[in-house]
Each structure stands twice: as structure tokens, then as C-alpha cells.
Amino acid sequence: IVGGTPGNSPWTVSLRDRKGNHFCGGSLVSSEWVISTKQCFSSCYVDLTGYTAMMGTLFRDPKEGEPDLQRISLTKIVCGPSESHLVMLQLETPAQFNERVSQICLPPERYIVPDGTICEIAGWGETKGKGDETVLNVAQMPVLSNKDCNQYFKGRVRENEMCTMAFQAGVGACERDYGGPLACQNSDCWVLEGVIIPMRRCGHAGQPNIFIRVSVYVDWIKKVMEM
Amino acid sequence: YRSALNDFQRSEGRELVLKSWNVNRLTELPRVTLEDCAKRCTESPECRAFNYEFRPSLVCKHLPWVGDGDNADVKRNVNCDLYEMKVYVRKCIVGKGEDYRGKVSTTTSGRTCQQWWSKFPHDHRWTPSATNGLELNYCRNPDGDRIGPWCYTTDPERRYESCNIPQCKDEVCITCNGEDYRGQVDHTISGKECQRWDQQFPHQHIYQPEKYPDKSLDDNYCRNPDASPVPWCYTTDPTMERESCDISKCPEFPKRRLRSSYTTNCFRGRGEDYRGKVNETTSGIPCQRWDAQKPHEHPFFPKTYECKGLEENYCRNPDGSEAPWCFTSLPEMRTALCLQIKRCADDIEAEDCYNEIGKNYRGVVRKTRKGILCQKWSINTPHKTKINPKTHPEANLTDNYCRNPDGDHHGPWCYTSDPKTEFDYCAIKQCAGEKVPIIGPTTEVEFNECGKREDRLRSRLR
């Protein structure tokens, strides 16, 4: 996260490759399922042997024996509708929820987050020299309507995407944050409204951030979990 | 140069956990090297497997069983690798199978074996010991009989019989040039033992297993990671770097397999499944025929590589290069890529279109967007159908046609014939001009269990 600060996001998980290296983020939408983005994987049929989801820590490379740390193998990948760029990843065993690990709410189907709602992104990705990459960073950002966002991106933002406002200082998700959450608070609950996807530049001053709008795919997410 | 690890089969990220009644039969050796751990295990008559733990500290744990579920279970543990003696886990034999320690206990004709300690119904001279492997009534070959592992039978009319344990070289046969071979042959055609792929001695090599996860470079088994004519391995003989392995070819393998992954107008991945008719290079130079050796001599004989589609002079990728290529007809230019062939779009081409969300789609497309055939709605294999003609009689769930019985906003779908993919969307697109607007929810939504956060942690972190 460029321009963020160390923080806490108990639904954000770190996806790890066979060597245990963090490569992408994800969000716990239930004790057994993580949502992330397809760009983090080479295909919808990738062999996930050795891949894990790590949660319950604020550190990118925690020491063994850290209390609350959970490492759970990934067993299944399901690709979302073609234009969604989403994937659902099944955990081998259910995550144990506690004060450091919890699931995030899904939004109502096809819900549009009001303009100006304060949301936050979280991840262990690049900071471009603007933070500590060894810990989880969080940045707050207000929602920007698609209409206004399209003025910047010349009409390329689609209905299944959503934006957050630009910052002159440059704040946004970056390499290895992809797949992580854009979480927005709704009274005392946090709701997964967006999934971080790669952009051409990250944390670029004056550039809005684009996310996949989760509410468009809530029916698919529930269907995958049910089936 | 032989490694003691050659006697073991490695399971990465696994641990063998003994069942409660024999946990005290575990021997712990702290801070020994992996090689030493293996060596000491082979020297111990009690040891059949070992856990090699590398976190939080190095520990070698010798175990008296392998993970067959009777006395111990294999569990996942990212901090540990499990090594089991090959002779106890493999289901095939090498040579006459004198070292076979498997658990088959019936003969070729189906007769149950007599216990080795018993002299009834057949009296005999063999006495079980700690080293000769004459355990229970398992098939063994203590006398090196040419019939392979055998046993005395419990049938008084039949004294002894072979158990017909297959030779490892015949147990799994190879198709094409054996790139998919995942069997357990670990000796070359001349009888040399293979070097482990995860070791760099006696021969240094590039095929480190972690760098080629799709090639299954397991232990020291024969494999074909470089599209050679047959599986091969580096040998433990310092004077011979590598040699082919003697593995049976599968009988009556159809030369031209019709695979759904073959493409003709574009290529996917590295284009190994491209079977189109482009026969010139990117810059327009005609390709040399694959069955010719002029102007360029080459090893890609169509008969050797029967599954690679080396027909005429078409661009192909028989060796895992980055894209289809060919030998050119110019003597001064040996090979060139055919990059004018386009890469396929990720999804297969839509074959029909649907209106709105496709709830009324009644077409005959029966393929998912990845080209996988749909499962019939009325049967329960490979997937148990929660939605079927009985639950949704109005949805026209006939045969295996794509439908949208549950009003999925993302269009018609089906259960798939791939056991690993329960359902997927179909190769159908929305008809032109159709668009379903996004409308917010009409009722307030209450969230219960999810999305709660203890924000105290933030101040604690500071």
C-alpha cells in the first residue's frame, strides 16, 4: 500500500507460494473461502499444492510460534464470471476466528456504495518507499462515483468496477496488494465492497483507484460457497 | 556417489503421525543432516520411514511404519518432509523383487497366503527374522525365485504360488514420448541407478524440482522434463551423465488423439496443442517438413513424437518452446518461431447469445466458456445436482444444455463434466444491446456475525 500506515484488517489474508513468499492479498468471506483476483494466478486450473493462506498476523514474515498465526493450505480455485477477474479459493480447513482473524460481510446484491463513503484498503505489498513493507499497511479512501471517475479515465470504468478518490500525495494499492479488500464500514460492520486489481501505475498522485465491485458478484460468490 | 536418500520416497510438507498405541516406537535424532538421517534409517532394522522436521529446529524422527493407515497416518505439516522406504510403499518390483516389502497377501489365482511363521497347511523351512521381511502372510521372495514374490497358500491343494506383483517398468506404461510418465522406475536401461532430481551430485543439472513443478521431478524416478524421445534420468555413475529408462509403451495407443484442448486458428499457452496449418515463419519463410532431414538434420521424427502433430511442414511446438515453430527451408536459418499465429482469447468463442440474464435461453450450447462439456442435469455424476429437472421443472433442464434455472445474473451455466469444476458459465454471450442495470437493494440489510473488528488493536500496535 502506498501512502498507508500500519494497521489492522482481520479479514485480509496473505497468499503464499510454495516457498512461503507472500505474492497477493485476499479477503476471508467465510471460514473456508477467500476471495482474490485472477491476476494473481496463472490459470483457473493451477495446481495449488504447496500454496497457503496466512492470517492472524500483522507481519509479512512473522516468526514461527507467533500466537494467533494461522497458515492454511489452499485446495481449490474457482474463477468468477469472465469480466469479474475474481477467484474464490477454498481453504483446506476452516480458519479459526478470533480478534485477529474474522470474516468480512458481503454487500447486498448489486448495491452501489454512496459517493463519499469512507473505505479502506489493506495489504503487505509495495509501499514505494512510503512505509514499512514488513507489516500490514492500511489506507483510508473515500468512494468516488463511477460518473466522476469516468471523467478521469475517459469512460473506461465499467459498471462492475468502482473507484475511490484521488490523493495529491499519492495513495493506493500496489504490487502484491492485489486481490485484497476495499472494505467499507456500515454501522458497526465492515463490508467487502471492492477487490483490489492491478492498475498500470500504483499510488500515483491525483489518480483515482479502481476496484472490482463485489456487489455485482455476490450471487456468484454465494453460489460457489453453496455448491 | 550413491545417496542413502535413493532408498526413500519423499512427500513434501507431510508428516507421519503414529497411532496412539505405538507412539513410543519413535526415535528422535536432533540436528543430523538429511543424508545422515536417511543413512541411519537404512542401517536400523526397525526404521521404515522418517520425518525430517526443519522448523522450529532440525529433528530427524525415525519411524517403524509407513503411512498406510494401519499404524500411522500421513498429515500435512509445512515444517516437515516425510521420507518412506520405497520397498515398503511401492506396488511394483524391480528385478525378481527380493526386496519387496509391500502388503499384497493373495496369489495370482486369488488364494490367501499362509502366515510365514505357520507350518500349516504347508510345512516349510523359512523362519521370520528382523531382517528377512517374512512378515504376516505377505508375498515375499526370500529365495530369489524367478517367479517374483510368492507365498505358501492356505489351500492344502496348492503349496505355493506367485503373487504376480507387476514389474515397475510395466506397472505404468507410457504414451507418446512419456512426458506424462509419473511411475516409479528408478534405474536406466543399462541398470544404472538414477540420481535424485533434488541433488546436484554426481551430476550438476538445471532440473531442480521446485523450478519445474509441473514435471513431477520426484525422488530419483525416470521422467521426461525436456521432451526427449523417452523418460530418462541422471545416473549415480559419475562416468555417465544421463541415460534413457526402459519403460513399456502402452498398447494400441491411438496415434491421433482428439483432444478438446487442440486449437487450429490460434494457440494457447506455449502452443503445444496447436494443430493448425500455418506452415511458414513470422517473416514468411516456408517451413521444412518434419519428416525431412534437409536442409536441417533434427531429432524430431514424427514417428518418435507421435503425439506432437508433426505433420507436413506445419508450425508446431514439440519441445516446450515459447510458441509454435519450425525448421526453416533456408540452410542458413535453422529454426524460427511462427508468431503470426495469434494467441487465443482466454475464453472460447461464444456460440450463441442470450437475452437479459438468459433465464429463457433454450438453445443447444452444451459447453462451458473453457470448452468443457456440460454434465446432464438429470444425472448426479460427476457432480451431485442440487438444481435438476425435479427441483426446477419449469426451467427446461433437458440433456446437458446450458440453462439458467436459478436466475444467475451472469448468464446460463451448467454443471461440468470435469470432476474438479462443479459448475461454470457457458460459451454464450449476451445478445448485442442487452444490459442489465445495477439497481441498489430495496430493503435495509442487517449484518450479523461478519465484519466485526476490535479497533483496540490499532492503538496497541502503535
Side-chain angles (χ1 to χ4, degrees):
Chain A
I1 304 287
V2 179
T5 52
N8 170 36
S9 180
W11 35 83
T12 304
V13 304
S14 160
L15 300 181
R16 304 273 163 158
D17 63 18
R18 292 190 175 98
K19 288 185 174 167
N21 296 325
H22 166 85
F23 67 93
C24 264
S27 306
L28 268 175
V29 290
S30 79
S31 62
E32 280 182 79
W33 289 94
V34 169
I35 194 163
S36 185
T37 183
K38 190 178 159 191
Q39 284 98 333
C40 295
F41 297 90
S42 56
S43 90
C44 298
Y45 302 99
V46 64
D47 175 14
L48 289 173
T49 309
Y51 281 69
T52 54
M54 197 177 82
M55 58 204 87
T57 179
L58 301 178
F59 297 100
R60 189 192 58 198
D61 301 307
K63 287 179 183 155
E64 278 308 317
E66 186 183 313
D68 299 329
L69 176 69
Q70 295 182 47
R71 281 181 218 268
I72 307 176
S73 297
L74 301 177
T75 53
K76 185 168 207 164
I77 178 168
V78 182
C79 278
S82 301
E83 75 293 352
S84 74
H85 302 295
L86 296 178
V87 288
M88 291 278 279
L89 302 163
Q90 191 171 28
L91 302 176
E92 188 180 50
T93 54
Q96 300 299 312
F97 293 150
N98 52 42
E99 69 171 7
R100 287 196 184 275
V101 179
S102 66
Q103 69 180 24
I104 189 165
C105 300
L106 290 170
E109 274 184 41
R110 308 182 85 71
Y111 174 70
I112 293 177
V113 196
D115 214 4
T117 305
I118 300 292
C119 301
E120 62 176 41
I121 54 173
W124 286 272
E126 276 186 24
T127 61
K128 296 275 180 198
K130 288 185 174 181
D132 181 353
E133 287 189 6
T134 66
V135 295
L136 180 73
N137 285 298
V138 176
Q140 291 202 330
M141 38 187 59
V143 170
L144 178 70
S145 72
N146 279 30
K147 191 180 159 206
D148 293 341
C149 193
N150 261 324
Q151 287 177 1
Y152 183 94
F153 288 107
K154 299 184 180 125
R156 290 198 303 271
V157 181
R158 295 171 301 172
E159 272 196 325
N160 69 327
E161 293 170 331
M162 63 180 288
C163 301
T164 55
M165 284 181 199
F167 288 88
Q168 281 317 311
V171 177
C174 202
E175 293 297 323
R176 295 187 291 283
D177 289 322
Y178 306 134
L182 172 73
C184 307
Q185 201 168 12
N186 185 315
S187 33
D188 65 339
C189 275
W190 287 85
V191 183
L192 182 71
E193 298 290 0
V195 167
I196 302 169
I197 50 169
M199 290 181 62
R200 279 187 63 194
R201 298 180 293 195
C202 49
H204 190 70
Q207 175 187 274
N209 286 284
I210 303 178
F211 303 85
I212 290 296
R213 191 185 289 279
V214 172
S215 70
V216 176
Y217 301 104
V218 166
D219 55 345
W220 167 74
I221 295 168
K222 288 180 177 167
K223 192 165 169 173
V224 170
M225 293 195 285
E226 276 168 24
M227 283 202 182
Chain B
Y1 288 101
R2 184 183 189 278
S3 164
L5 286 167
N6 281 14
D7 292 328
F8 295 85
Q9 185 170 289
R10 177 187 185 216
S11 302
E12 197 180 354
R14 296 286 189 278
E15 176 191 13
L16 193 66
V17 181
L18 296 180
K19 296 208 168 161
S20 55
W21 62 82
N22 56 23
V23 280
N24 57 352
R25 295 189 63 193
L26 185 145
T27 312
E28 278 195 30
L29 306 167
R31 291 183 298 281
V32 295
T33 63
L34 179 60
E35 190 73 31
D36 210 20
C37 185
K39 193 162 172 276
R40 293 199 204 182
C41 183
T42 49
E43 288 165 354
S44 157
E46 264 275 278
C47 185
R48 294 184 182 185
F50 64 87
N51 290 327
Y52 196 70
E53 291 179 10
F54 32 87
R55 265 192 298 249
S57 56
L58 277 187
V59 186
C60 156
K61 287 181 181 168
H62 284 179
L63 305 148
W65 306 112
V66 290
D68 52 16
D70 290 347
N71 295 289
D73 289 316
V74 178
K75 296 201 169 148
R76 277 179 186 263
N77 181 351
V78 290
N79 300 319
C80 180
D81 288 340
L82 166 65
Y83 290 81
E84 294 165 288
M85 270 192 193
K86 286 176 182 175
V87 290
Y88 287 97
V89 291
R90 68 183 169 200
K91 312 257 184 298
C92 56
I93 55 168
V94 179
K96 288 185 269 191
E98 288 105 318
D99 61 356
Y100 174 75
R101 295 291 182 271
K103 288 192 162 183
V104 171
S105 59
T106 47
T107 65
T108 311
S109 63
R111 290 176 170 91
T112 303
C113 293
Q114 175 183 316
Q115 300 275 345
W116 288 100
W117 53 261
S118 170
K119 306 290 179 189
F120 181 81
H122 304 288
D123 195 7
H124 61 86
R125 64 189 172 94
W126 298 105
T127 308
S129 73
T131 52
N132 67 7
L134 301 180
E135 225 179 316
L136 302 178
N137 64 339
Y138 301 141
C139 302
R140 295 287 182 262
N141 194 359
D143 57 350
D145 196 310
R146 60 176 180 76
I147 61 173
W150 56 273
C151 66
Y152 297 105
T153 85
T154 48
D155 177 356
E157 302 296 315
R158 182 74 191 237
R159 183 169 167 77
Y160 73 94
E161 197 175 12
S162 164
C163 299
N164 207 21
I165 313 283
Q167 288 283 337
C168 289
K169 71 186 182 70
D170 302 325
E171 188 210 14
V172 179
C173 60
I174 55 170
T175 54
C176 307
N177 58 333
E179 284 175 68
D180 296 336
Y181 177 71
R182 299 294 180 262
Q184 296 183 318
V185 171
D186 56 8
H187 283 74
T188 67
I189 200 160
S190 69
K192 295 188 191 301
E193 191 179 26
C194 294
Q195 173 183 321
R196 288 182 68 88
W197 296 98
D198 56 6
Q199 291 181 338
Q200 292 290 326
F201 60 91
H203 305 287
Q204 273 210 331
H205 63 92
I206 59 163
Y207 289 109
Q208 294 161 17
E210 65 275 15
K211 288 188 183 164
Y212 298 87
D214 54 330
K215 306 288 183 189
S216 288
L217 300 176
D218 310 316
D219 302 300
N220 63 339
Y221 295 129
C222 298
R223 294 288 182 260
N224 190 358
D226 63 349
S228 290
V230 290
W232 57 275
C233 66
Y234 295 101
T235 82
T236 49
D237 178 352
T239 63
M240 178 175 279
E241 188 190 31
R242 53 183 274 181
E243 195 178 19
S244 301
C245 301
D246 179 22
I247 304 164
S248 308
K249 278 232 164 198
C250 299
E252 291 174 27
F253 178 72
K255 281 187 181 168
R256 284 178 162 208
R257 279 189 304 171
L258 278 177
R259 276 207 337 222
S260 61
S261 57
Y262 286 159
T263 61
T264 50
N265 298 319
C266 57
F267 73 91
R268 287 199 187 95
R270 292 188 296 246
E272 282 132 322
D273 284 344
Y274 172 72
R275 294 294 181 269
K277 294 194 171 180
V278 170
N279 60 1
E280 56 182 33
T281 70
T282 317
S283 52
I285 303 163
C287 293
Q288 172 183 321
R289 286 182 66 89
W290 293 99
D291 57 3
Q293 291 290 318
K294 278 183 184 172
H296 306 286
E297 281 189 29
H298 64 87
F300 293 104
F301 298 100
K303 278 190 179 171
T304 308
Y305 291 91
E306 56 190 348
C307 304
K308 303 286 185 182
L310 304 181
E311 298 150 335
E312 312 277 337
N313 60 342
Y314 302 141
C315 296
R316 293 288 183 262
N317 186 3
D319 65 345
S321 294
E322 59 183 286
W325 58 274
C326 66
F327 294 100
T328 83
S329 52
L330 299 179
E332 62 275 20
M333 185 188 285
R334 186 168 165 81
T335 63
L337 293 165
C338 307
L339 292 174
Q340 74 277 31
I341 307 169
K342 286 187 182 142
R343 195 170 280 278
C344 301
D346 187 41
D347 298 342
I348 69 160
E349 208 166 302
E351 297 180 357
D352 201 349
C353 78
Y354 60 87
N355 296 310
E356 296 176 343
I357 60 167
K359 203 155 184 196
N360 296 318
Y361 176 74
R362 296 293 181 265
V364 291
V365 172
R366 54 175 94 193
K367 216 160 51 171
T368 72
R369 57 192 167 143
K370 302 289 175 198
I372 300 166
L373 198 65
C374 292
Q375 174 187 321
K376 286 186 178 177
W377 294 97
S378 57
I379 62 166
N380 279 315
T381 50
H383 307 290
K384 196 166 162 46
T385 57
K386 277 185 185 166
I387 294 175
N388 52 50
K390 280 185 184 164
T391 61
H392 291 70
E394 74 296 341
N396 189 235
L397 301 180
T398 43
D399 211 357
N400 59 345
Y401 297 132
C402 296
R403 294 287 181 261
N404 192 355
D406 58 347
D408 191 315
H409 279 102
H410 311 289
W413 58 276
C414 65
Y415 293 100
T416 88
S417 55
D418 172 8
K420 288 180 181 168
T421 309
E422 272 87 349
F423 79 99
D424 203 359
Y425 298 100
C426 287
I428 320 173
K429 61 185 175 191
Q430 213 169 28
C431 299
E434 293 280 347
K435 212 173 188 187
V436 183
I438 298 180
I439 308 158
T442 49
T443 50
E444 271 297 301
V445 181
E446 278 186 26
F447 301 106
N448 297 318
E449 296 297 311
C450 56
K452 306 282 183 189
R453 180 163 82 185
E454 179 58 76
D455 277 317
R456 242 171 351 109
L457 285 176
R458 189 177 295 182
S459 54
R460 221 189 277 167
L461 186 79
R462 285 202 187 109

